[in-house]
Amino acid sequence: MPISADPIVQTSALPASALSVRNLSAGYAGRMIVDGIDLDVAAGEVVTIIGQNGAGKSTLLRAIAHLLRQRTGAIRLRGADVTALPTEALLQRGLAFIPQGRSIFPRLTVAENLRMGGFLLRDAALLRARIDAQLDAFPALAALRETPAANLSGGQQRQLEIARTMVMDPAVLMLDEPSIGLAPLIVGQVFSTLRGLAAAGKAVLMVEQNVRRALEASDRGIVLELGRAKLQDHASALLGDERVARLYMGG
Amino acid sequence: MAFPAMAFPAMAVIAQAVNGIMMGAVYALFAVGMVLVFGVMRVLNFAHGAVFMAGGYLCWFAMAHVSPIYPVALLFSTAGGAAIGLVLERLVFRRLRENLSMQIVASLGLILMAQNGVLLLFGADALQIEAPSLRRVLRLGELGFTVQHLVILAAVAVAVASLHVFLSRSRLGIAMRAASQDIQAARVVGIAPDRVFAITFALSGALAALGGALLGPLFLVFPGMGDLPLLKGLTAIVLGGMGSVWGAVLGGLAIGLLEAEATLFAPTDYRDLVVFAALIATLLLRPRGLFGTAIRGEP
């Protein structure tokens, strides 16, 4: 059953957007999977995109990260138009993306994974300082520096992905289903890590199937249906919405 | 120490071991370049033998027309091989990354073009690299081998060790391994795949051409000189486990040793039979090869 369209887009009430997407459409082989999406994420904010399988959630993030070439629309990063930039230039400008599933390099050590997180940093001293900062932030990883990433637990691998991404110190962090495959306790740790990043001024945009827990950790939510944003609202409002609960939280 | 049965005199076994390790080192060098491209790009470049052959001709050309100093000719050939690798990646294999059967067809086409191009440029006669000092025979007791045997072993050792340091320490080397493990993850950390692929092919071409330039002075330089290393290099890769650089190195050395020692107990013509029988036996017992893991390979 479709959700009635009642979009609440309060762009004016938000602080300046870190990430701003306008009229984004994207797809594969001529078929548009994401259809005219507008969204904003402000610094310090966690925004979660929810929706059923096939709604276009992953495609939306991949299109923003420019991992998907077939797309139209406009993307602004901290005010600058970055629509045409390739993935690595976006990363250099402060837009990072952690794709779905395990994206660590399994046979590189934790230290090598972190070093690759800073592949685009040519300043060796800065790179070292950034890696050390991440090892301070994730002490479990510091103890496993020389361990191949494949030998880490699922939660540690997710920590490593986040730490590796934060080596670039991005302003905007996008994550595709960060809680997938993790034990409930670890899911809580991941979401609290993301809240911590937001508190430090990062803009966080994620896609989640674990809707209730994700919204509990979010400021706002966007409901995606058949490639369109059906509903955007404060996370607390979505959590209290009986239709959202029935359709996406199995309740 | 006496051999239990005196069918193989100890000295002959040792002499063949020296020959075998030398040829094995060449196979290893060849196999490492091929496995690098396969590991990073999932591309099987059967034209790798043509680059090896081009290395032999580049060495001959450098010795005859650029500088008669052999190390200079080696560098010239290696650099030429890197350039050939870059061109092959850019013009041919970049477009065929996901398509194994077209990689094979394109490789065969490239081999034909390379061999006939060489015929056109240098003629059908095998060429001799003029380097008498490299063919000087050294004696160690009863053992005799050429200077070039030592040059080959030293050059391969340096090349493999440098490659190891590059892959394990340098930013680009680690990025190559990263791209081989997860290409999408490589893209999201900002490693541009096309650049990694170009570097991989350049490195692979350099190693193949170095092999041809090393073997050239011992044997002759001719259009088909890359065929044997291709066959044996592929065998080395499969024997070693289709994965690691070290598997390819040890596989190459094992094949060189095996075929050299085989000549002691079987007619020389049977040595390939021995090598391939050993390969089949190994794969029956260990389908992943000697050093392979269940995970598909990385360099």
Side-chain angles (χ1 to χ4, degrees):
Chain A
M1 192 222 283
I3 289 172
S4 65
D6 182 22
I8 304 169
V9 188
Q10 296 172 316
T11 8
S12 54
L14 292 171
S17 280
L19 173 70
S20 154
V21 172
R22 287 293 170 271
N23 197 24
L24 182 71
S25 295
Y28 301 90
R31 201 169 75 84
M32 283 300 140
I33 292 168
V34 167
D35 189 3
I37 296 282
D38 292 336
L39 68 85
D40 289 271
V41 188
E45 195 182 32
V46 177
V47 175
T48 294
I49 300 166
I50 62 175
Q52 268 147 354
N53 285 334
K57 306 184 297 291
S58 297
T59 305
L60 173 58
L61 293 194
R62 294 179 59 80
I64 297 172
H66 215 166
L67 288 166
L68 213 164
R69 296 280 162 83
Q70 286 194 33
R71 52 170 212 179
T72 57
I75 294 162
R76 298 179 88 81
L77 197 56
R78 290 188 284 183
D81 185 354
V82 296
T83 310
L85 297 182
T87 305
E88 58 268 22
L90 290 173
L91 185 56
Q92 236 150 2
R93 300 277 192 105
L95 175 70
F97 174 50
I98 300 180
Q100 195 175 37
R102 191 174 76 162
S103 77
I104 44 117
F105 302 115
R107 275 153 291 145
L108 297 189
T109 64
V110 166
E112 287 173 330
N113 265 280
L114 291 172
R115 191 169 166 201
M116 285 299 104
F119 180 78
L120 295 173
L121 287 180
R122 302 310 296 262
D123 178 341
L126 179 63
L127 176 60
R128 256 197 311 277
R130 292 266 184 88
I131 289 175
D132 288 345
Q134 290 309 313
L135 291 173
D136 286 345
F138 297 96
L141 296 180
L144 297 164
R145 289 177 78 126
E146 301 307 322
T147 307
N151 297 358
L152 270 53
S153 71
Q156 289 164 343
Q157 291 186 350
R158 194 53 41 86
Q159 284 188 349
L160 178 57
E161 281 175 347
I162 295 173
R164 187 182 69 186
T165 308
M166 296 319 291
V167 169
M168 285 304 285
D169 195 26
V172 180
L173 176 61
M174 299 194 298
L175 306 97
D176 193 348
E177 297 207 28
S179 82
I180 202 166
L182 296 181
L185 184 69
I186 311 293
V187 170
Q189 287 173 8
V190 168
F191 286 153
S192 77
T193 299
L194 298 179
R195 281 263 44 123
L197 291 174
K202 307 298 183 195
V204 178
L205 176 64
M206 64 174 157
V207 158
E208 259 301 342
Q209 298 273 20
N210 197 341
V211 172
R212 185 181 303 279
R213 297 198 65 180
L215 285 177
E216 281 166 2
S218 302
D219 298 293
R220 287 188 300 123
I222 300 172
V223 179
L224 213 62
E225 201 172 85
L226 295 174
R228 291 169 191 266
K230 275 290 176 191
L231 191 60
Q232 303 204 22
D233 207 338
H234 295 289
S236 53
L238 290 177
L239 277 168
D241 188 311
E242 167 265 324
R243 290 158 306 174
V244 170
R246 196 174 61 244
L247 279 169
Y248 302 110
M249 292 186 266
Chain B
M1 191 179 89
F3 258 65
M6 285 311 292
F8 318 137
M11 216 54 218
V13 172
I14 295 170
Q16 283 306 76
V18 173
N19 280 325
I21 289 172
M22 184 276 292
M23 274 314 286
V26 174
Y27 298 153
L29 195 61
F30 188 95
V32 163
M34 237 179 135
V35 94
L36 209 56
V37 163
F38 179 74
V40 175
M41 298 176 67
R42 310 281 178 259
V43 162
L44 269 176
N45 173 20
F46 288 96
H48 201 61
V51 185
F52 181 93
M53 176 269 288
Y57 277 94
L58 283 167
C59 183
W60 176 86
F61 178 84
M63 293 287 276
H65 300 290
V66 180
S67 157
I69 303 165
Y70 184 60
V72 174
L74 276 186
L75 285 178
F76 181 87
S77 314
T78 306
I84 294 171
L86 279 177
V87 172
L88 288 185
E89 195 275 334
R90 190 75 190 82
L91 294 186
V92 182
F93 289 102
R94 179 173 294 186
R95 294 148 207 272
L96 305 177
R97 229 177 271 156
E98 311 283 318
N99 192 336
L100 182 65
S101 49
M102 286 315 288
Q103 290 164 16
I104 294 170
V105 173
S107 296
L108 296 178
L110 286 167
I111 293 170
L112 282 176
M113 282 168 64
Q115 296 194 342
N116 287 292
V118 159
L119 280 176
L120 193 70
L121 285 172
F122 298 98
D125 292 337
L127 303 176
Q128 170 107 48
I129 291 173
E130 286 308 326
S133 62
L134 297 176
R135 277 191 296 276
R136 201 155 53 86
V137 174
L138 302 173
R139 296 230 154 260
L140 197 74
E142 289 176 57
L143 211 59
F145 47 88
T146 67
V147 173
Q148 184 64 2
H149 276 75
L150 292 182
V151 170
I152 288 176
L153 285 179
V156 172
V158 168
V160 171
S162 312
L163 183 69
H164 175 72
V165 170
F166 172 75
L167 288 174
S168 58
R169 300 256 182 276
S170 77
R171 169 178 173 271
L172 276 177
I174 298 173
M176 270 173 66
R177 285 160 59 214
S180 81
Q181 291 170 23
D182 190 333
I183 195 72
Q184 168 166 270
R187 289 180 71 183
V188 300
V189 299
I191 299 168
D194 284 350
R195 218 173 124 229
V196 168
F197 294 156
I199 293 166
T200 305
F201 246 91
L203 215 59
S204 168
L207 293 171
L210 175 63
L214 285 170
L215 204 57
L218 269 192
F219 301 150
L220 296 170
V221 174
F222 56 99
M225 70 182 281
D227 298 350
L228 180 75
L230 178 66
L231 195 62
K232 297 293 163 62
L234 268 175
T235 313
I237 291 172
V238 177
L239 189 67
M242 208 67 206
S244 68
V245 162
W246 292 114
V249 169
L250 295 172
L253 288 173
I255 286 170
L257 262 176
L258 190 63
E259 67 173 12
E261 300 293 355
T263 59
L264 293 178
F265 60 84
T268 311
D269 290 347
Y270 280 39
R271 62 182 183 187
D272 289 350
L273 185 81
V274 172
V275 168
F276 292 122
L279 174 70
I280 291 167
T282 307
L283 291 182
L284 283 175
L285 296 172
R286 270 189 69 90
R288 297 163 189 171
L290 288 177
F291 310 100
T293 55
I295 307 166
R296 206 151 64 130
E298 64 150 344

